[in-house]
């Protein structure tokens, strides 16, 4: 059972926390994480881009000049791709980029990524975050006390609305409720900062 230190928001140690083996102690599965991240990014794509091919551009129905005798290259339409305002070769069309990843695979990818954060000592747990006011400077003091100066994913519970508000304007900090934690945000951020309550919620949701 992996064990990790708990800190106060002032940076002082506040004990240790035993993590659930089935969530924070599984083997690293790079291929599964790659599959889940690729699917998540593809599912976020709108797929609405659209340009016109030469058959869809209005006009160009008549041959611009005769085939021979002009000294110019032969042309069949002023809407051919080489013409200004002509069609696009292999024009992009609306399409669905979504990929399906089953629920069990998503879970395994997430707990694999979380476990790797523990092994790499990139998971920081605080007992709680209480701010005197929901202001950016107050949250910046907490991050400075915990020596977090790289990209941080802050995971809190739904009750921590003031913390979310205070962290919104901080550069390189992304805030998520524990119910919305996902593989991409875990691997895309260098450090994972979570409250003790958020860790408990994650274990309840994903333990075997």
């Amino acid at each position: 059972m992996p064990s990790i230190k708990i800190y106060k928001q002032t940076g002082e140690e506040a004990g240790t926390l035993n993590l659930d083996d089935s969530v924070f102690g599984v083997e690293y599965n790079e291929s599964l994480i790659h599959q889940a991240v690729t699917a998540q990014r593809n599912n976020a794509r709108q797929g609405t881009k659209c340009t016109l091919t030469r058959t869809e551009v209005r006009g160009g129905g008549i041959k611009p000049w005769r085939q021979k005798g002009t000294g110019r290259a032969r042309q069949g339409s002023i809407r051919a791709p080489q013409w200004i305002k002509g069609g696009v070769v292999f024009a992009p069309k609306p399409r669905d980029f979504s990929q399906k990843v089953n629920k069990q695979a998503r879970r395994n990818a997430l707990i694999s990524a979380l476990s790797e954060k523990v092994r790499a000592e990139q998971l920081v747990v605080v007992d709680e975050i209480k701010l005197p006011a929901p202001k950016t400077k107050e949250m910046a003091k907490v991050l400075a006390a915990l020596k977090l100066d790289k990209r941080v994913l802050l995971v809190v519970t739904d009750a921590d609305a003031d913390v979310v508000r205070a962290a919104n304007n901080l550069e390189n900090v992304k805030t998520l409720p524990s119910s919305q934690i996902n593989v991409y945000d875990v691997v895309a951020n260098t450090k994972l900062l979570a409250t003790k309550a958020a860790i408990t919620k994650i274990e309840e949701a994903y333990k075997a």
Side-chain angles (χ1 to χ4, degrees), residues 42-92:
N42 281 339
N43 291 343
R45 296 181 68 174
Q46 289 184 323
T48 55
K49 59 184 179 180
C50 180
T51 55
L52 303 180
T53 64
R54 63 183 295 171
T55 62
E56 296 169 321
V57 180
R58 184 176 178 84
I62 188 172
K63 191 173 175 67
W65 53 76
R66 60 197 177 104
Q67 181 82 347
K68 295 179 179 293
T70 65
R72 291 178 289 185
R74 56 193 175 187
Q75 299 292 330
S77 170
I78 61 172
R79 295 299 181 242
Q82 71 270 20
W83 284 74
I84 295 174
K85 298 184 181 180
V88 177
V89 180
F90 306 126

Side-chain angles (χ1 to χ4, degrees), residues 137-157:
K137 65 179 181 180
E138 300 295 342
M139 192 63 210
K141 291 178 183 177
V142 175
L143 295 177
L146 295 171
K147 298 178 180 179
L148 297 175
D149 55 357
K150 297 182 179 180
R151 295 186 63 177
V152 177
L153 175 63
L154 173 58
V155 182
V156 294
T157 62

Side-chain angles (χ1 to χ4, degrees), residues 15-40:
T16 59
L17 176 66
N18 292 324
L19 301 173
D20 194 307
D21 264 334
S22 63
V23 179
F24 292 97
V26 302
E27 293 182 3
Y28 182 59
N29 191 332
E30 184 176 4
S31 62
L32 187 59
I33 291 175
H34 179 270
Q35 179 185 351
V37 169
T38 302
Q40 184 175 337

Side-chain angles (χ1 to χ4, degrees), residues 168-189:
N168 276 344
N169 286 333
L170 286 172
E171 187 179 8
N172 294 331
V173 176
K174 178 165 186 178
T175 309
L176 284 178
S178 57
S179 58
Q180 294 180 19
I181 191 169
N182 59 82
V183 182
Y184 174 72
D185 285 316
V186 171
V187 301
N189 292 279

